[in-house]
Amino acid sequence: MRPLFIAGNWKMNPGTAEDAVALAEAIKVGVGQETRVRVALCPPSVFLQAVDGVLENSPIGLGGQNMHWKTDGAYTGELSGAMLVDSGCTHVILGHSERRHGLGETDHQVNDKLKAALAIQLIPIVCVGETLVEREAGKTDEVVGTQLENSLAEITAEQMCGIVLAYEPVWAIGTGKTATPAHAQHVHLFIRNLLRETFNAATAARVVVLYGGSVKPDNAADLLACPDIDGALVGGASLKASDFLGIIQAGQAVTAKGKA
Ligand code: PEP
């Protein structure tokens, strides 16, 4: 079965290394050595090494929020996968909607980044999701399907088993509007069926698919209990240790009741 996975995307927060260390320390203490629910923190790149130091002897993983597809060279402002690994990263978020819609990142670039991340053994968290306009036009499945098809181009079934997907409806990110568990489960099932058609049933059963979009301690349990939702990518609520720990505890309770 698929263990639940909760990843915190700190985006461009907090403002100082001191605050980043304090947040990571509080989350580390709260998680302890508990591994029933997997956890990763994705701080801004300048804080990765400091947070990696905090997470020593902790089961919590560390993730970058983006990387370039090239290994080195004249790419001002960019980071390679090797740099993330050198900073202690185990994971990397790819194709977050704030990069797709705010910075023009394309499916093709996400696919190049995905291949580069796999080549250096980073666990990619590939994000997909529809905008409000696309949702209202009834195009959710079509948009998510196209993003997945293009972002996962030339990926083998074996590689796919090591990739985490995140369904994040753009209209729910940072807005306080959460998809209903029924809507999220519908899209997650659509994704799992697509994985079965594209790869095979065994692969579809193994891939971890996260939900993201205003996940909070009070809505986490209902979302995480859905059969095809395997965890959460958490933005705003990952910046407050008690909220993030509340989401992890909701995942632990769901797991204890028999999921995974
Ligand atoms: C995100 O950043 O991936 C996200 C889902 O943000 P929020 O939880 O704040 O909606």
Side-chain angles (χ1 to χ4, degrees):
M1 283 302 288
R2 303 176 298 268
L4 290 177
F5 176 41
I6 310 287
N9 174 16
W10 291 2
K11 311 190 187 194
M12 204 164 72
N13 303 290
T16 66
E18 193 183 343
D19 287 348
V21 163
L23 179 57
E25 267 167 359
I27 293 168
K28 176 184 172 177
V29 169
V31 169
Q33 291 303 315
E34 176 63 60
T35 54
R36 269 180 306 171
V37 172
R38 293 186 195 164
V39 178
L41 304 181
C42 304
S45 55
V46 287
F47 302 150
L48 282 170
Q49 288 183 342
V51 172
D52 184 45
V54 173
L55 297 183
E56 208 177 322
N57 301 319
S58 158
I60 300 175
L62 183 69
Q65 297 177 10
N66 177 44
M67 60 175 271
H68 200 273
W69 56 89
K70 294 284 187 182
T71 53
D72 56 59
Y75 302 99
T76 302
E78 294 290 339
L79 294 172
S80 69
M83 290 171 185
L84 293 181
V85 171
D86 189 58
S87 301
C89 287
T90 46
H91 294 71
V92 61
I93 298 172
L94 299 177
H96 192 278
S97 71
E98 286 154 14
R99 299 196 59 81
R100 287 179 184 270
H101 297 286
L103 299 167
E105 194 162 298
T106 64
D107 286 345
H108 181 73
Q109 289 171 336
V110 174
N111 181 248
D112 283 342
K113 291 177 183 201
L114 176 60
K115 290 171 184 162
L118 291 170
I120 197 134
Q121 266 120 45
L122 280 167
I123 300 171
I125 304 172
V126 177
C127 305
V128 293
E130 82 285 7
T131 63
L132 185 59
V133 172
E134 290 162 343
R135 171 179 155 82
E136 286 175 348
K139 290 187 171 166
T140 298
D141 292 359
E142 182 187 328
V143 169
V144 169
T146 302
Q147 287 176 337
L148 281 176
E149 194 183 322
N150 295 336
S151 304
L152 300 176
E154 294 161 17
I155 293 299
T156 65
E158 192 185 349
Q159 287 173 318
M160 191 63 233
C161 292
I163 296 170
V164 175
L165 298 178
Y167 167 59
E168 299 207 302
V170 179
W171 48 269
I173 297 179
T175 58
K177 291 181 195 153
T178 318
T180 60
H183 173 82
Q185 167 58 24
H186 164 86
V187 181
H188 280 241
L189 182 59
F190 168 78
I191 291 172
R192 206 161 306 281
N193 288 337
L194 195 75
L195 291 171
R196 198 178 54 237
E197 284 159 25
T198 311
F199 299 96
N200 53 55
T203 303
R206 281 182 62 185
V207 175
V208 170
V209 187
L210 310 181
Y211 168 77
S214 298
V215 176
K216 311 271 181 244
D218 61 359
N219 61 23
D222 287 344
L223 288 160
L224 296 175
C226 294
D228 289 289
I229 297 181
D230 308 317
L233 182 54
V234 184
S238 70
L239 294 171
K240 197 170 161 200
S242 58
D243 283 355
F244 192 57
L245 291 168
I247 293 168
I248 295 167
Q249 281 152 13
Q252 288 165 346
V254 166
T255 302
K257 275 192 211 150
K259 182 164 170 178

